[in-house]
Amino acid sequence: MGTLRIAAVILLGVLGLVVFVGSILGVVVLAMRGFAGASGLKSLAERFPAGQEPPNAVRGRTLKIGAVQFQRCVTVALTEEALYLSVRTFGGSRSAALIPWSRVRFLGEGTLYWRATHRFAVGEPPVATVELFEDLWRLVKPHLASVVPPR
């Protein structure tokens, strides 16, 4: 009788732990999906849908879309016609956009965490703002030569 009671207590404890961990993971997944919507990423993906990932894509980049900074989870590719952005969130969902250079409007420079950034709006009226750190900006800037004022 005593071992049966101990086994039941252990089973309930393990079950409670599984439910607790599952709840935490569920909240994290929902929060990440919420960030995609709040940042404007979801709107970008709907307005400028992307097909296949370009072969020159680079994974693990960091950038800011709207008010949300996506760290080391962004895939970026540059083509003559467009900027490809794809974000994979913790929940495994993927939002990708292929933004034509003609739809990008430079807004200015800024600073985020003591690092220089360059901000631009996408679409007219703007669907979202994107903020790039210097490493990505150096790659994007030649495609925006007509809209970025020279230094």
Side-chain angles (χ1 to χ4, degrees), residues 44-45 47-52 54 77 79 82-85 96-100:
L44 273 177
R47 181 102 174 259
F48 304 103
Q52 291 265 358
T79 69
L83 169 64
Y84 173 85
L85 296 177
L98 188 63
I99 305 163

Side-chain angles (χ1 to χ4, degrees), residues 41-96:
L41 175 62
K42 192 174 184 179
S43 299
L44 273 177
E46 289 169 357
R47 181 102 174 259
F48 304 103
Q52 291 265 358
E53 182 177 288
N56 66 339
V58 179
R59 291 183 175 85
R61 297 301 195 146
T62 297
L63 55 80
K64 185 176 172 188
I65 301 174
V68 180
Q69 183 176 341
F70 294 96
Q71 291 197 13
R72 295 181 295 279
C73 62
V74 181
T75 300
V76 178
L78 304 161
T79 69
E80 289 300 317
E81 301 82 32
L83 169 64
Y84 173 85
L85 296 177
S86 174
V87 178
R88 285 200 188 276
T89 59
F90 180 75
S93 65
R94 175 182 165 267
S95 296

Side-chain angles (χ1 to χ4, degrees), residues 62-65 76 78 83 85 101 110 115-120 130-141 144:
T62 297
L63 55 80
K64 185 176 172 188
I65 301 174
V76 178
L78 304 161
L83 169 64
L85 296 177
W101 296 116
R115 293 175 62 191
T117 61
H118 304 271
R119 198 166 143 220
F120 57 86
V130 178
E131 205 163 343
L132 304 175
F133 289 109
E134 195 66 35
D135 58 339
L136 278 178
W137 178 248
R138 273 187 256 117
L139 301 174
V140 168
K141 187 176 179 180
L144 302 176

